Amino acid sequence: MSCVSLVDVPVPYRVVARHVETADVVTLRVQPVVGDLPGFRPAQFSMIGVMGVGEVPISISSACDDRTAHGYTLRRAGAVTNALWDRRIGDVVTVRGPFGRPWELQRAEGRHAVFVAGGIGIAPLRAAIEELSSNTTAAPRRLSVLVGAATPSDHLYEPWLVDLSERGVEVLRTVDRTDESWSHAIGFVTELIAPVVAEWTGAVDVSAYVCGPDPMMAATIDTLGRCRVAADDIEVTLERNMQCANGWCGHCQLGPLLVCRDGPVATASELGDVFERSEL
Ligand SMILES: Cc1cc2nc3c(=O)[nH]c(=O)nc-3n(C[C@H](O)[C@H](O)[C@H](O)COP(=O)(O)OP(=O)(O)OC[C@H]3O[C@@H](n4cnc5c(N)ncnc54)[C@H](O)[C@@H]3O)c2cc1C
Ligand code: FES
């Protein structure tokens, strides 16, 4: 009897749309060449690749109720992401998945849901923000989206962020460095947290969802903790190099966790001091 399941087999998908987001970030929308688009939950990822080059984990950035195609927003980093960047509409890529533990969005019911994104970290948060802003999974009492990027031109999804604001979501943007044309905050995204969370009298009522580079996530956990948000109420999504995505090869080990099997989502209490013990 074979132990290989369907998600272990790379499936051909066709690129049906391609949107250049920034100088080094693109969103590809892909559909299976044959068969139906699988469902997924926010923060789940697929191993997406190009035949003859390889495959890498990338989060699904489209909304869960978008049944026409899956979106993948990816930054050019090396061989595989460069090959994916080069794909055009009509080209075929391979997809395995979706994999992984999703955000626990039910925790946000009746509470203040705070999303904190650093750079391309907004991609794995996007489907979750869509769900909570449309009250399809849970109805938070208040919804805040805090987004940081290195410069104004590194900010992603501006039309969507504007649409969210118009739908009543609190959206705050910041950059590390800029010029006079920038009308939002300047500084690290962690600096946006205390004013938004402290203003909410009961920090015990906060559910936080965080994605960005490891040092940004470590600083965000620390800041939320100082705002009295419980470690169980802070979820982050982790990134490590992957090969099998099935808990077999050990490539994605982070402390006691295998990110592909136990994550990518983990609570701050599950992480403990893992960030301090690993090289950030
Ligand atoms: C669960 C998960 C979800 C992800 N979602 C996204 C996403 O939505 N969009 C996106 O752009 N990227 C995402 N990534 C990261 C992406 O998988 C890597 O950028 C990719 O594997 C790089 O592969 P490559 O062959 O292009 O470059 P490589 O040649 O493999 O790497 C280029 C450089 O990036 C570094 N690197 C490779 N992988 C990682 C990693 N996982 N974390 C940090 N540094 C790394 C390498 O050390 C090297 O310096 C995700 C990773 C995980 C684990
Ligand atoms: S990628 Fe192989 S164990 Fe996680």
Side-chain angles (χ1 to χ4, degrees), residues 45 47 240-253 258-261:
F45 66 94
M47 298 298 287
R240 283 299 175 273
N241 276 321
M242 288 187 184
Q243 283 202 351
C244 71
N246 271 297
W248 299 332
C249 72
H251 263 81
C252 64
Q253 182 144 15
L258 289 177
V259 172
C260 70
R261 185 195 63 192

Side-chain angles (χ1 to χ4, degrees), residues 45 56-59 73-75 77-82 120 123-124 237-242 259 264:
F45 66 94
V56 289
I58 302 289
S59 313
T73 300
L74 55 102
R75 165 170 293 123
V80 179
T81 46
N82 272 302
I120 201 164
T237 181
L238 303 164
E239 277 195 14
R240 283 299 175 273
N241 276 321
M242 288 187 184
V259 172

Side-chain angles (χ1 to χ4, degrees), residues 13-161:
Y13 276 57
R14 196 172 304 285
V15 178
V16 294
R18 180 181 186 275
H19 179 69
V20 175
E21 306 278 357
T22 71
D24 62 355
V25 176
V26 70
T27 298
L28 299 179
R29 284 177 57 80
V30 301
Q31 281 173 348
V33 172
V34 177
D36 295 332
L37 195 66
F40 75 99
R41 296 296 303 142
Q44 287 197 300
F45 66 94
S46 304
M47 298 298 287
I48 176 167
V50 174
M51 287 288 270
V53 183
E55 55 173 15
V56 289
I58 302 289
S59 313
I60 304 173
S61 57
S62 46
C64 293
D65 62 1
D66 178 348
R67 301 303 304 144
T68 54
H70 285 165
Y72 294 92
T73 300
L74 55 102
R75 165 170 293 123
R76 302 169 70 140
V80 179
T81 46
N82 272 302
L84 288 165
W85 170 281
D86 289 340
R87 296 307 101 183
R88 295 294 183 270
I89 293 173
D91 287 350
V92 171
V93 297
T94 60
V95 175
R96 268 194 310 134
F99 298 106
R101 170 181 167 187
W103 303 112
E104 212 184 290
L105 297 181
Q106 290 295 351
R107 286 190 307 110
E109 179 73 43
R111 307 174 93 194
H112 182 188
V114 179
F115 289 84
V116 189
I120 201 164
I122 188 73
L125 294 170
R126 187 174 177 165
I129 295 167
E130 264 305 306
E131 282 210 4
L132 291 191
S133 62
S134 53
N135 294 347
T136 47
T137 294
R141 229 179 315 165
R142 178 178 167 189
L143 182 49
S144 305
V145 177
L146 317 180
V147 195
T151 69
S153 58
D154 292 311
H155 267 282
L156 302 177
Y157 307 149
E158 183 58 23
W160 175 66
L161 293 176

